[in-house]
Amino acid sequence: MSRHQYAMVMDLNKCLGCQTCTIACKKLWTDRDGTGYIYWNNVETRPGLGYPRQWDRIGGGWKDGALQPSPLPTMDDYGHAWEYNYEQRLYEGSRQPVMPTPDPQSGVNWDEDVGALNGEDNYYFYLPRICNHCTYPACLEACPRKAIYKREEDGIVAIDQDRCQGYRYCIKACPYKKIYFNEVTGKSEKCIFCYPRLEKGEVNACAAQCPGRLRFVGILDDPESPVHKLVHLYRVALPLFPEKGTGPNVFYVPPFNPPKRGNYGQNILEDPRLPLDYLVYLFGEEVKDVIARLEADLKQAQEGGHSEVLQLLIGRDAETRYRVRPQLVQING
Amino acid sequence: MQIPRWILALTVAVTACSPGVAETAANPVAGTSLPVASVSASEDAILRGGNARWSQVAAKKISLNRTPPLFDTDEPATLEIPTADVRLLRAGGKLYVQLSWDDATRDTATLPTVPGTPPEQRFRKVPTEADDRFFDAAAVMVPVHPGSPVNPSLQMGDPGHPVHIYYWNSARGAMLMEAAGRATTRRTGQSFPVDAAYQNRQWVVTFEMADQPAGTPLAFAIWNGSQQDRDGRKYFSVWYTVE
């Protein structure tokens, strides 16, 4: 257990699916050799295949104190990079339209906005994902090199690139498949929660760039932090797949939609736009309680009352959304 | 036809320098001792001269074991490579160790070359072509202090008995490593001369290492890429002794 724990809350009701976070992260951290397919941060449409595809169904994590088996995702699951035959079309006289090679079969954000049907109605939402910097990281346990460590001062999980030998047990163990293998370096790598930025008092790049202002960052055990309030005080943010047993420290405010067919005396739980089963699949049974809490606050606000939690979720300014305290997480602090 | 000088040298030099050498390649020696043939041939002739000069050197057939699964939820791996042949040659103050084993699949790749220009100055970055391939590899482990009355732990030595590991990977080349116990293996940054060939579904890998005195224990390991071998997931031998 770390002395403190940085955490992030993402309000899924506010995610635009614009991928600005993805690009902010990629330009900062994974614009290197071997990292073309590596997205420390990605945003996927749910329901959907995810990235790598079917990551949520292939295994990993803990059960009864034992690491759970999982295959390694392959490049077929991540999607192979493709090129367009511009030269043939533009310079070599080809009359065929410009086409990608190889034929794209999968990729990051592959099934954007596809979603699924709820009765006759299509529904979907966006799920931004980073490493969960788990309290009980399966990746750390799986690494025979002891290359993965959880920083005592702030709970961030990182891979020592000098110790890592690219064995990839960590990728198999991670139930969120948020560790990637860089074949050029021969080592695995992952989101570092922008700890070099946090140490300077700057919030994570993905959060700083988010136009939807959906990310809240702070120390989970800091009572003044927005993440503490959303997770522990108002209890409206939940981890993804809690049954995987790793204790994620990234939390989500579940999609909170109006009733499917308007306000005919039914509430959201009675006539959900998104099938509750799917939200339960993602966040567990507690998601129903969270939606009930949010709905109660929404009703209160609509009737002219004040809702602290909704005011916080609006997140008007950076001071509201982030509480980065490098002085609190100094090793000797 | 002129007989190459190295054949003459080898023919003369492969003598009964130890009792085990009296046995032939077709009749592998028994026990855990490894006979050594002495030759006066160049490094180049030994490493890259083909199999002819090695065929007259007695082979020691060693039994290989699978390491148990790392996690109790892993399925035990099958024993696809039950044995390997070891041949030792001493020449020019060096010890040459040839390890050969049958392997139905040649699991290797030519990894892309990384340009010298820093990636931030290039539009195109070198891609990761595959994330799930593992490469055939082999290693010879030797104690740093061979005169010790106690052999080092087979698990990469132990704090009182450090080891050198001559590791060859079919895609990433030769690396000299050092270790003093499980999970302590460290690349020294040094390489060593090695020759490797895959033919007729068999790997033949020749390591050049510093000469080792008689009585030095050697242990061997083989990683089968198609079985996702890496790290402690591998085939390993017990300690054998240089005669």
Side-chain angles (χ1 to χ4, degrees):
Chain A
M1 294 284 283
S2 55
R3 187 147 13 120
H4 298 290
Q5 178 67 58
Y6 262 116
M8 186 180 287
V9 171
M10 304 192 209
D11 183 354
L12 299 184
N13 299 283
K14 298 167 77 178
C15 183
L16 314 166
C18 66
Q19 306 286 355
T20 307
C21 52
T22 307
I23 300 305
C25 177
K26 191 135 192 65
K27 288 302 292 179
L28 185 58
W29 297 118
T30 58
D31 191 19
R32 296 172 278 115
D33 288 323
T35 61
Y37 84 107
I38 295 176
Y39 290 85
W40 290 1
N41 178 105
N42 75 295
V43 182
E44 53 200 46
T45 299
R46 285 280 155 182
L49 294 171
Y51 185 79
R53 63 186 181 192
Q54 304 284 19
W55 64 264
D56 51 328
R57 298 176 188 277
I58 61 176
W62 297 96
K63 189 176 181 184
D64 300 328
L67 290 174
Q68 292 306 290
S70 163
L72 269 179
T74 69
M75 291 311 285
D76 289 346
D77 300 316
Y78 292 106
H80 298 269
W82 61 80
E83 297 282 354
Y84 292 91
N85 57 340
Y86 291 114
E87 287 201 357
Q88 291 173 14
R89 180 70 180 87
L90 298 177
Y91 305 117
E92 297 172 8
S94 168
R95 296 287 181 187
Q96 298 300 314
V98 172
M99 295 296 285
T101 304
D103 186 26
Q105 298 290 325
S106 187
V108 67
N109 204 24
W110 176 252
D111 48 1
E112 182 178 30
D113 293 1
V114 173
L117 288 176
N118 182 14
E120 295 178 345
D121 301 318
N122 175 260
Y123 72 97
Y124 60 83
F125 58 93
Y126 302 110
L127 183 71
R129 299 207 301 123
I130 62 173
C131 166
N132 285 298
H133 298 278
C134 301
T135 302
Y136 311 106
C139 58
L140 186 153
E141 176 71 11
C143 177
R145 286 285 299 170
K146 301 185 178 76
I148 301 183
Y149 59 103
K150 188 167 177 68
R151 290 167 34 122
E152 189 194 344
E153 62 270 34
D154 56 16
I156 292 171
V157 177
I159 301 176
D160 182 337
Q161 293 290 292
D162 289 332
R163 287 203 60 76
C164 178
Q165 298 275 15
Y167 296 146
R168 288 161 270 180
Y169 295 112
C170 55
I171 302 175
K172 296 175 74 158
C174 174
Y176 304 96
K177 295 296 174 270
K178 264 298 170 191
I179 303 181
Y180 302 84
F181 179 63
N182 181 334
E183 196 180 53
V184 175
T185 62
K187 296 170 187 294
S188 299
E189 54 179 74
K190 62 180 281 299
C191 159
I192 55 173
F193 209 72
C194 282
Y195 74 77
R197 289 174 60 93
L198 296 176
E199 287 172 355
K200 293 181 188 171
E202 298 287 335
V203 75
N204 315 53
C206 56
Q209 296 294 320
C210 176
R213 298 182 298 185
L214 63 100
R215 297 191 187 221
F216 299 79
V217 177
I219 298 165
L220 201 53
D221 45 302
D222 171 8
E224 297 303 314
S225 81
V227 294
H228 176 87
K229 291 176 181 173
L230 291 168
V231 174
H232 292 313
L233 182 63
Y234 303 128
R235 294 187 297 145
V236 293
L238 296 170
L240 187 60
F241 295 115
E243 74 278 9
K244 304 286 189 185
T246 59
N249 287 301
V250 172
F251 300 85
Y252 296 92
V253 178
F256 172 59
N257 288 277
K260 192 173 169 186
R261 293 181 180 81
N263 293 312
Y264 298 122
Q266 292 178 308
N267 66 26
I268 296 166
L269 288 173
E270 290 168 335
D271 185 26
R273 185 170 297 256
L274 306 172
L276 275 175
D277 285 352
Y278 190 67
L279 295 182
V280 170
Y281 167 68
L282 293 177
F283 303 111
E285 287 288 336
E286 201 182 340
V287 75
K288 295 176 183 173
D289 296 336
V290 169
I291 290 176
R293 276 183 217 119
L294 286 167
E295 188 174 43
D297 266 69
L298 182 63
K299 189 176 178 189
Q300 185 178 322
Q302 285 170 338
E303 292 172 352
H306 178 74
S307 164
E308 285 185 17
V309 62
L310 292 185
Q311 287 300 314
L312 176 55
L313 285 173
I314 289 169
R316 287 189 172 82
D317 49 41
E319 287 70 31
T320 308
R321 298 195 301 277
Y322 317 131
R323 188 168 156 89
V324 176
R325 303 194 66 196
Q327 70 277 17
L328 189 64
V329 297
Q330 293 297 312
I331 294 175
N332 299 316
Chain B
M1 191 182 89
Q2 188 177 5
I3 299 173
R5 288 179 63 188
W6 64 261
I7 290 185
L8 287 175
L10 194 68
T11 308
V12 171
V14 176
T15 53
C17 55
S18 74
V21 178
E23 302 180 46
T24 66
N27 298 295
V29 290
T32 56
S33 63
L34 299 168
V36 190
S38 290
V39 301
S40 56
S42 69
E43 169 191 312
D44 195 56
I46 293 173
L47 285 181
R48 284 166 285 279
N51 251 349
R53 61 184 48 70
W54 284 94
S55 61
Q56 299 176 53
V57 180
K60 171 71 186 174
K61 192 172 286 295
I62 62 170
S63 295
L64 296 172
N65 314 277
R66 280 302 295 193
T67 47
L70 188 60
F71 307 115
D72 52 12
T73 47
D74 282 355
E75 292 290 324
T78 54
L79 191 72
E80 293 186 12
I81 305 172
T83 60
D85 284 350
V86 178
R87 292 177 172 85
L88 302 186
L89 267 182
R90 190 173 276 136
K94 301 285 184 184
L95 183 67
Y96 295 88
V97 179
Q98 188 178 82
L99 198 55
S100 53
W101 68 97
D102 294 336
D103 185 346
T105 54
R106 180 176 182 267
D107 307 305
T108 188
T110 303
L111 296 174
T113 308
V114 177
T117 322
E120 60 270 21
Q121 294 176 17
R122 283 183 271 121
F123 177 69
R124 286 186 184 281
K125 311 297 190 293
V126 178
T128 285
E129 292 177 349
D131 71 307
D132 64 333
R133 58 185 174 186
F134 297 90
F135 306 123
D136 291 336
V140 182
M141 182 163 70
V142 57
V144 172
H145 311 296
S148 169
V150 179
N151 284 344
S153 164
L154 268 178
Q155 292 189 322
M156 312 302 119
D158 51 76
H161 304 90
V163 293
H164 283 140
I165 297 164
Y166 291 77
Y167 173 78
W168 163 84
N169 182 296
S170 61
R172 298 190 186 275
M175 298 168 230
L176 181 61
M177 299 183 172
E178 57 189 14
R182 184 169 177 265
T184 66
T185 312
R186 194 182 73 80
R187 296 179 190 183
T188 61
Q190 299 172 46
S191 185
F192 58 90
V194 68
D195 180 62
Y198 182 83
Q199 215 169 15
N200 302 322
R201 297 156 72 90
Q202 185 190 51
W203 275 112
V204 180
V205 182
T206 308
F207 301 76
E208 179 186 300
M209 62 176 65
D211 197 5
Q212 304 294 328
T216 301
L218 299 180
F220 307 92
I222 287 170
W223 289 262
N224 188 15
S226 60
Q227 291 184 276
Q228 297 202 344
D229 283 355
R230 73 279 200 194
D231 172 47
R233 184 185 167 92
K234 65 190 176 192
Y235 294 88
F236 70 98
S237 77
V238 296
W239 287 107
Y240 287 78
T241 309
V242 177
E243 284 185 353

